[in-house]
Amino acid sequence: MRTLPKLIANLPLAMVMGAAVAEENTFNLNIPAQPLAAAIEAVSKQTGLQPFYADGALVGKQSPALKGSYSKREAVEKLLAQSGLDYTFTGDNTVAVKAPAAKSAQKAKTEEPVVLDTLTIKAQKANVDQPFGSYLDPSKIALARTATSDTAQMLNGTPGVSFSGGGGISSRPVIHGMADDRLRVQVDGMNLISACANHMNPALSYVAPSSVLSAQVLAGITPVSMGGDSIGGTIRVNSADPEFAEDGKAPLIKGQASTFYRTNGDARGGNISASIANEHAELKYTGSTVQARNYKAGGNFTTQNTKNGSDVVGSSAYKSENQSLSLALRNDDHLAVIKVGQQNIPYQAFPNVRMDMTGDDSWFANVFTKSQFQWGNLETRAYHEDARHKMNFLADKMTTPTRNMPMDTHGVNQGLSVKANIDMTDKHLLTVGSEYQRYRLDDWWDPAPGSMMMGPGTFWNINAGKRDRIDLFTEWEGRWTQQWLTQLGARVGVVEMSAGNVKDYKDSTVAQRAEATAVNGQNKKQTDVNIDWTALARYTFNDMQTYELGAARKTRSPNLYERFAWSRGAMAMFMNNWVGDGNGYVGDINLKPEVAHTVSATANWHDAKQEDWEAKVTPFYTHVENYIDARLCQPGNGVTCASPSSGFNLLQLANFDAHLFGVDVSGSKLLVDTAKYGSLTGKTVLNYVRGRNNDTGGNLYQQMPFNATVALEHKRGGWSNTIETQIASSKTDVQAVRLEPKTAGYALLNLRSSYTWKHLRIDGGIDNLLDKNYALPLGGTYIGERSVAGTAVPGMGRSFNVGMTINY
Ligand SMILES: [Cu+2]
């Protein structure tokens, strides 16, 4: 049905191609059969080709294996041959991929005078080329699976991204100096929330690295359709797209099993997945497990350990199990995916938190649909997530044999979203959508048997916490010419929060009851009306230069703990700490939402074919009104705060004026490329960020010092080898009020290697080859055995890592 217009459309192209073919470069490709999106991404990485396609247009499509010498055009032709998709080269390096127009539209078109409209880039919600966005290299994702079990760490080396440390599988990504709830982190489209006063279960901890197939980072200006209730950027992590059998072919049965071992911490784990599909349905199971003991630093770093050696990071052990089952259904124009999953973390110790995770049971159901219409497409999502979280002390923190303090959390998170992408004209796309999120949280601490202090009643930290949000947004993307792209969007959100009455352990003692009574007498309802807007422009000057400029206003309402953690009792305050600094915190019901005003630009230079070299510079500046920061605890609700305790501060959250600025620089250069020796590419990423509190004149907390990654990547046939050095300068811009430790500069050397046969992949590597003893700049304060201030959590010493994956 699409043959005729396509043929007509491609005639001039074919003639041009005929002339160009002789000069066209070919590439040695070895890309296994896989989901089409990943295959296109792989071709893009290896050839410099820039694909444009509608968000989700490739969902459910499978690509054949690509092995041998191909030009860009030949590679695309072969990848898309079975997909039913049309494509158009709009330049030497750009290809537009799209679904063929619906039958009736096609018919109407053939009656019109023939217009070669397929030769223009149709306005598409470009998945790959979102300004300020970057996709993780799939080969890097694959390498990271053996090297880490912490999904956030898979983003290591992405420009603008650093990590705030936590448990072994729970670090939190930081984009341009903003962490945790300041970012919109989505796992398969779900907005997951930490159900813990210490944020032990951030969004990315809910998914195992083995389940991550693609990851997108928007560091800079996030379009409103991808943001919401966040001020610092967006991270979207997705599991594999469903794969269906080809029409009329036998059912597709696939499976994968992999296992890995890392010497440091004796970390071991594995995962399996199995799927069966015909042309309309796919059923898939995935399961994974990992466990590790405490890891070792590169040398002695503390004198406080009594249960472990001075080079062992106490409270860094963990064990986790994940499972999921998904059913995907499709017909010509519709796709539906229903996924249910479950996570069990029997234990995860935290070297920078006073408590440990002693049980985390969560499950979710996530339903996604996508439909193609003549006017565009419609996506809907509904999810339900239930997280049951328990804390107490694990062995390393048992300073007395009977130490016991049960803490419980239960969070229920439900979301509904609908988004329509409407093709207004060939060049203009309108996106309208709405998101609803309903969140409920209980956080209570049962009495500790035999304890005078923690009893006789149950302490209610947050009772019936409620945080509901409804957002509406619209976005208009125009591709005016080959040179100009603009994106304008606005979003309105209403956040409603409240909480029920609280109690403390000593319900009957007068002094304590007075505080709870005062808190319960307050109006605990807060409604925020948040307005965001984004304006982006991209100018493609020529095939060697692209410039992007963006400005945005973004808003985030406080989380439930920031507003409702109520007690000024020292012990309760120390239990509310989601920043890993060992201090105690009390919230403030009257905190205002943070409003960020950001300007950013990107300049991207490369050789015309994008095969040889590339350089990218992204400066940014953000001014944040009502930035939620900390100050020394002030009297409130009839209670005077206790004095600082055992070297730590008791702090209170408050709104401040703040600004952050910095620059990311990245570059690559192909150094050698021969058939005999393969290709050798040099890559580097440099990050600089600085954050200041304008009211206090002090530094913001956990701002990564200047750091760089320099890597050499060698590829030949099935071999892939990387030698990488990670460098960070000393951290002296620390936040005084949080007693943030200074850290020394360091350089680490990592080696990674993989070899892929037909059905087998072997990974090997050595992380921190030189066994450098170093402190994590954003790792927080080490309180893995005893709560003593002043020592930063160290990074991991040398580790030998091996992994093996079998596909069938
Ligand atoms: Cu917790």
Side-chain angles (χ1 to χ4, degrees):
M1 68 186 184
R2 65 181 193 278
T3 324
L4 184 66
K6 190 179 168 187
L7 194 67
I8 295 168
N10 285 339
L11 261 179
L13 185 67
M15 290 189 288
V16 176
M17 273 175 70
V21 147
E23 304 154 33
E24 242 183 329
N25 272 12
T26 57
F27 300 85
N28 244 330
L29 301 177
N30 185 1
I31 294 168
Q34 60 188 309
L36 186 55
I40 289 185
E41 189 64 20
V43 170
S44 162
K45 287 280 169 202
Q46 293 181 39
T47 66
L49 183 71
Q50 286 196 330
F52 298 85
Y53 48 84
D55 208 359
L58 309 184
V59 170
K61 309 277 186 193
Q62 181 72 2
S63 78
L66 221 58
K67 193 167 185 189
S69 175
Y70 295 92
S71 71
K72 288 173 196 167
R73 286 164 209 276
E74 289 164 346
V76 170
E77 166 75 14
K78 177 137 195 228
L79 282 183
L80 298 180
Q82 302 293 323
S83 70
L85 296 170
D86 280 345
Y87 70 92
T88 310
F89 270 84
T90 52
D92 273 357
N93 269 314
T94 46
V95 63
V97 178
K98 59 184 177 175
K103 282 172 196 172
S104 51
Q106 204 64 33
K107 198 166 160 236
K109 259 182 199 161
T110 54
E111 287 160 8
E112 290 164 8
V114 175
V115 181
L116 299 181
D117 64 346
T118 46
L119 273 179
T120 59
I121 299 180
K122 212 170 173 210
Q124 298 280 12
K125 183 52 71 182
N127 214 351
V128 164
D129 77 329
Q130 175 60 44
F132 296 102
S134 57
Y135 263 84
L136 247 67
D137 185 339
S139 66
K140 238 187 117 176
I141 292 179
L143 275 174
R145 288 195 190 113
T146 294
T148 183
S149 295
D150 184 358
T151 300
Q153 293 289 340
M154 298 175 87
L155 307 170
N156 205 343
T158 307
V161 177
S162 49
F163 304 92
S164 166
I169 52 174
S170 293
S171 72
R172 288 162 295 203
V174 183
I175 296 179
H176 291 168
M178 304 222 224
D180 206 10
D181 284 351
R182 293 194 170 104
L183 307 181
R184 168 64 43 232
V185 183
Q186 292 180 328
V187 175
D188 279 331
M190 296 186 287
N191 296 314
L192 302 177
I193 298 175
S194 285
C196 166
N198 304 123
H199 282 200
M200 288 177 169
N201 39 22
L204 293 180
S205 70
Y206 286 97
V207 60
S210 57
S211 289
V212 174
L213 193 94
S214 71
Q216 185 184 21
V217 176
L218 292 147
I221 308 284
T222 308
V224 292
S225 63
M226 299 185 193
D229 199 24
S230 57
I231 60 173
T234 292
I235 293 170
R236 308 210 295 180
V237 164
N238 287 302
S239 52
D241 287 334
E243 298 172 41
F244 299 97
E246 288 171 32
D247 282 346
K249 294 275 174 68
L252 195 65
I253 298 173
K254 298 193 88 178
Q256 190 187 70
S258 72
T259 180
F260 61 84
Y261 180 75
R262 297 189 289 271
T263 55
N264 198 334
D266 197 21
R268 60 190 70 200
N271 68 82
I272 52 168
S273 72
S275 66
I276 178 161
N278 64 17
E279 59 261 55
H280 294 299
E282 187 215 46
L283 187 66
K284 184 174 189 174
Y285 168 83
T286 66
S288 69
T289 175
V290 59
Q291 68 182 91
R293 300 179 208 272
N294 289 337
Y295 72 83
K296 272 190 173 182
N300 295 339
F301 68 94
T302 180
T303 53
Q304 301 295 333
N305 279 359
T306 57
K307 295 180 188 296
N308 294 287
S310 299
D311 61 343
V312 174
V313 180
S315 299
S316 59
Y318 57 87
K319 179 176 181 173
S320 172
E321 292 153 359
N322 286 276
Q323 298 190 82
S324 76
L325 189 67
S326 69
L327 174 68
L329 302 165
R330 72 156 182 193
N331 65 18
D332 287 346
D333 297 317
H334 305 281
L335 172 76
V337 183
I338 302 150
K339 189 170 180 178
V340 292
Q342 182 234 340
Q343 182 182 56
N344 174 34
I345 303 181
Y347 58 87
Q348 184 182 195
F350 280 69
N352 61 357
V353 179
R354 284 161 195 265
M355 305 301 295
D356 297 312
M357 185 189 276
T358 52
D360 201 272
D361 277 295
S362 67
W363 69 271
F364 69 85
N366 187 8
V367 181
F368 171 72
T369 72
K370 174 155 186 137
S371 300
Q372 291 287 341
F373 299 98
Q374 273 184 46
W375 49 263
N377 63 57
L378 183 73
E379 291 171 30
T380 67
R381 184 180 300 282
Y383 58 86
H384 174 101
E385 186 227 352
D386 185 296
R388 188 72 175 75
H389 173 72
K390 286 173 183 286
M391 289 190 284
N392 210 318
F393 305 108
L394 291 169
D396 289 347
K397 288 179 188 149
M398 294 293 268
T399 44
T400 61
T402 55
R403 199 174 185 215
N404 180 22
M405 183 183 175
M407 294 172 73
D408 282 82
T409 316
H410 184 205
V412 178
N413 176 21
Q414 295 166 317
L416 271 177
S417 68
V418 56
K419 187 169 95 171
N421 295 309
I422 304 159
D423 298 319
M424 306 290 285
T425 70
D426 274 358
K427 294 178 177 169
H428 297 276
L429 177 80
L430 185 71
T431 301
V432 292
S434 178
E435 261 181 38
Y436 171 69
Q437 187 171 31
R438 179 186 183 275
Y439 185 60
R440 295 291 180 274
L441 179 81
D442 284 320
D443 189 318
W444 71 99
W445 312 342
D446 283 334
S451 164
M452 293 293 288
M453 200 168 78
M454 293 174 282
T458 296
F459 185 102
W460 279 88
N461 192 31
I462 292 184
N463 178 21
K466 163 183 153 176
R467 191 180 194 277
D468 291 348
R469 175 167 71 91
I470 185 155
D471 283 20
L472 287 168
F473 61 86
T474 180
E475 199 166 271
W476 163 44
E477 181 174 301
R479 291 176 187 268
W480 304 90
T481 63
Q482 300 266 358
Q483 274 80 42
W484 281 100
L485 174 146
T486 59
Q487 211 178 52
L488 294 172
R491 184 172 186 123
V492 182
V494 177
V495 179
E496 214 177 82
M497 288 168 68
S498 67
N501 285 346
V502 296
K503 275 185 180 167
D504 67 30
Y505 286 121
K506 305 249 185 318
D507 226 3
S508 54
T509 43
V510 176
Q512 295 275 359
R513 191 201 272 161
E515 185 184 18
T517 305
V519 171
N520 292 338
Q522 292 173 338
N523 176 16
K524 293 200 193 173
K525 252 200 176 144
Q526 289 285 352
T527 304
D528 307 321
V529 179
N530 298 333
I531 294 171
D532 290 359
W533 57 259
T534 307
L536 282 168
R538 170 194 282 160
Y539 178 58
T540 307
F541 181 73
N542 59 24
D543 56 7
M544 293 179 70
Q545 300 172 49
T546 306
Y547 301 95
E548 292 166 356
L549 186 66
R553 173 197 156 100
K554 291 286 166 78
T555 317
R556 173 187 82 96
S557 283
N559 66 39
L560 285 169
Y561 290 102
E562 286 169 327
R563 272 191 171 147
F564 297 124
W566 59 276
S567 176
R568 278 176 167 74
M571 197 275 294
M573 290 178 76
F574 283 129
M575 296 302 113
N576 282 289
N577 183 323
W578 49 96
V579 291
D581 62 5
N583 298 301
Y585 286 87
V586 62
D588 181 351
I589 293 174
N590 295 312
L591 282 177
K592 295 189 203 70
E594 297 181 329
V595 181
H597 308 271
T598 303
V599 286
S600 187
T602 289
N604 188 344
W605 300 282
H606 46 76
D607 64 298
K609 289 187 154 56
Q610 299 192 34
E611 289 157 7
D612 186 29
W613 63 275
E614 186 192 31
K616 205 170 165 182
V617 182
T618 304
F620 58 91
Y621 176 87
T622 302
H623 170 225
V624 189
E625 291 171 61
N626 297 320
Y627 184 92
I628 297 173
D629 207 341
R631 60 174 173 172
L632 289 174
C633 185
Q634 309 294 311
N637 299 323
V639 178
T640 308
C641 307
S643 308
S645 156
S646 60
F648 289 99
N649 277 339
L650 293 174
L651 303 172
Q652 163 177 350
L653 299 175
N655 290 117
F656 294 87
D657 198 68
H659 73 274
L660 302 96
F661 63 94
V663 62
D664 316 329
V665 179
S666 60
S668 69
K669 170 86 180 98
L670 182 67
L671 301 169
V672 180
D673 191 8
T674 66
K676 195 172 173 190
Y677 299 108
S679 70
L680 186 67
T681 309
K683 291 188 174 174
T684 185
V685 176
L686 295 92
N687 299 303
Y688 175 79
V689 63
R690 192 93 166 77
R692 304 280 289 179
N693 182 320
N694 298 333
D695 291 321
T696 65
N699 298 306
L700 298 183
Y701 181 62
Q702 283 195 335
Q703 302 296 305
M704 187 69 187
F706 173 76
N707 62 95
T709 306
V710 181
L712 276 177
E713 291 180 11
H714 172 247
K715 280 187 178 140
R716 182 170 177 271
W719 276 107
S720 166
N721 306 296
T722 304
I723 175 167
E724 174 190 83
T725 165
Q726 289 183 308
I727 304 157
S729 61
S730 61
K731 180 174 168 67
T732 51
D733 294 328
V734 293
Q735 191 178 40
V737 75
R738 282 187 160 107
L739 309 170
E740 188 178 15
K742 292 184 178 177
T743 58
Y746 59 87
L748 309 176
L749 194 60
N750 304 320
L751 301 180
R752 283 180 196 160
S753 229
S754 76
Y755 189 72
T756 311
W757 281 272
K758 261 189 175 166
H759 296 292
L760 180 66
R761 177 191 164 106
I762 303 269
D763 282 281
I766 310 171
D767 278 2
N768 195 358
L769 176 72
L770 305 175
D771 206 21
K772 172 82 184 164
N773 187 8
Y774 72 105
L776 293 166
L778 309 188
T781 297
Y782 179 66
I783 47 176
E785 283 204 12
R786 293 194 289 151
S787 299
V788 177
T791 305
V793 174
M796 194 179 276
R798 180 165 48 228
S799 183
F800 296 88
N801 310 329
V802 288
M804 186 173 79
T805 303
I806 298 168
N807 290 291
Y808 60 90

